[in-house]
Amino acid sequence: MKTYEIEFHLRNGEVLAYTTEAGSRYEALESIYQLFRHATDGFVQFDDELIIFLDHVGYVKAFEVVE
């Protein structure tokens, strides 16, 4: 497993970041896509502090974290 930072680029220009573990960049993005796809109430909560409102997201990027 590798560590990936997911960036949520919001329509207002703000960028939120979330770190996740996945086998590949594709898997990291796919896991985010599945969370969005199943969010029937309009938002996804990733932890106690990061809540993403789906209609505010412009696009999502994933970067491998290299230590």
Side-chain angles (χ1 to χ4, degrees), residues 6-42:
I6 309 295
E7 288 184 354
F8 301 92
H9 293 257
L10 306 184
R11 297 185 193 280
N12 67 1
E14 187 178 359
V15 178
L16 303 177
Y18 178 72
T19 304
T20 188
E21 298 283 326
S24 68
R25 182 177 170 271
Y26 175 82
E27 288 176 12
L29 287 171
E30 178 68 17
S31 67
I32 299 302
Y33 168 75
Q34 291 300 327
L35 288 170
F36 281 6
R37 194 168 74 88
H38 294 294
T40 58
D41 50 5

